[in-house]
Amino acid sequence: MRAIILGLTLIASACVSVQANVTTTPDATLLAVQNARMRECPADRIQAGARSEGFGAQSGVLGEDLALTPVASDPTKAVRLRRLTVAPGGVIAWHDHTAVQGMALLVSGEMVELRNTCLDPIIYRAGDIAREDAGTAHSWRNETSEPAVVLVSHVIRLPR
């Protein structure tokens, strides 16, 4: 019996409590969403018809539909969530939002927007939101060496 108690005591004393000093890097995507904010043209730089063209033809953009939810009050429409991945130097060509409105959240990277109502280019970084209302026409370009990821949500008309 004494040997058993001595053995258990030795085993128990061999257990060491280790306190690991673990650090984690915050998830960049989560930080972008948690710190999301609307970015708009500065009030003193707004001008109707400030621009009518963008960065050129569409290039370096991969668009993926992630979800589609029908609008209960209008069965001809749905809310669409898309992920756009824009390669370095990639361009989203000039387009307007008269028929399709929504918003864009930059999840990672950096993009420059030319907008019909702003005299200056607008720089978007992770966590910035662009409103795309019926009066919006714009173009985007990734001027960095890293891909940019943008989540866009729009109310669209469903195909018949």
Side-chain angles (χ1 to χ4, degrees):
M1 177 75 167
R2 186 174 177 185
I4 293 173
I5 293 174
L6 183 59
L8 290 173
T9 303
L10 285 173
I11 291 171
S13 67
C15 293
V16 177
S17 176
V18 177
Q19 290 189 357
N21 190 6
V22 177
T23 59
T24 58
T25 303
D27 180 80
T29 302
L30 181 58
L31 284 174
V33 172
Q34 289 175 329
N35 297 312
R37 66 210 165 273
M38 184 72 68
R39 170 141 339 258
E40 296 184 291
C41 183
D44 63 337
R45 303 303 293 164
I46 295 172
Q47 178 180 308
R51 298 180 183 276
S52 60
E53 59 184 47
F55 292 110
Q58 185 108 348
S59 66
V61 180
L62 173 64
E64 303 168 86
D65 287 348
L66 301 176
L68 191 70
T69 302
V71 174
S73 61
D74 186 346
T76 67
K77 294 181 180 176
V79 178
R80 177 183 65 192
L81 181 64
R82 300 188 84 209
R83 178 178 45 235
L84 304 177
T85 303
V86 185
V91 170
I92 298 173
W94 187 264
H95 61 283
D96 67 46
H97 288 274
T98 54
V100 176
Q101 295 86 46
M103 60 195 75
L105 167 65
L106 195 68
V107 176
S108 64
E110 184 175 300
M111 296 286 290
V112 177
E113 177 195 38
L114 298 178
R115 187 175 275 251
N116 62 327
T117 56
C118 193
L119 293 168
D120 305 314
I122 304 171
I123 298 173
Y124 292 83
R125 294 179 178 89
D128 289 340
I129 299 168
R131 181 181 12 236
E132 299 175 326
D133 61 20
T136 300
H138 58 169
S139 177
W140 300 75
R141 182 169 59 200
N142 179 352
E143 296 182 347
T144 73
S145 60
E146 298 293 323
V149 177
V150 185
L151 287 179
V152 293
S153 181
H154 294 114
V155 175
I156 63 167
R157 186 162 302 283
L158 291 170
R160 292 182 184 230

